[in-house]
Amino acid sequence: MRKCKLIFSILTVILCVAGLLHILPNDITLPLALFFLGITLLIDAKASYDKGAKWYAVILAGTALFVYVIIFYNLFSRIFGF
């Protein structure tokens, strides 16, 4: 579990840095960085739930859901133009 969280955290940071340094366009890096951030939050939520901190797990899962709603709204607004 820790290896997966570490990998997704590193991917999030790398994509954010690539976007800030204009190595890749922000249209690519921001949605991918937020996607990996959501995965990291879900992994942390599962670990918290397993430890018994259920309220903290619900907050993390809700935050991940909010991040995914933002990503999908952004993608659908670009595809369908509304």
Side-chain angles (χ1 to χ4, degrees):
M1 189 70 72
R2 287 184 174 190
K3 289 181 184 178
C4 290
K5 184 178 175 183
L6 179 68
I7 290 169
F8 290 125
S9 297
I10 290 172
L11 284 172
T12 302
V13 171
I14 288 172
L15 286 169
C16 288
V17 168
L20 288 172
L21 295 177
H22 300 291
I23 297 170
L24 293 172
N26 287 336
D27 295 343
I28 296 171
T29 57
L30 183 62
L32 287 176
L34 288 175
F35 177 75
F36 290 132
L37 175 68
I39 291 175
T40 305
L41 287 171
L42 289 175
I43 291 171
D44 198 24
K46 183 182 180 329
S48 297
Y49 185 80
D50 291 341
K51 290 180 183 177
K54 295 178 182 174
W55 182 244
Y56 186 65
V58 168
I59 291 172
L60 288 173
T63 306
L65 180 66
F66 181 70
V67 167
Y68 286 135
V69 166
I70 290 172
I71 291 171
F72 288 123
Y73 176 75
N74 187 12
L75 291 176
F76 284 132
S77 66
R78 288 178 191 222
I79 291 171
F80 298 116
F82 54 87

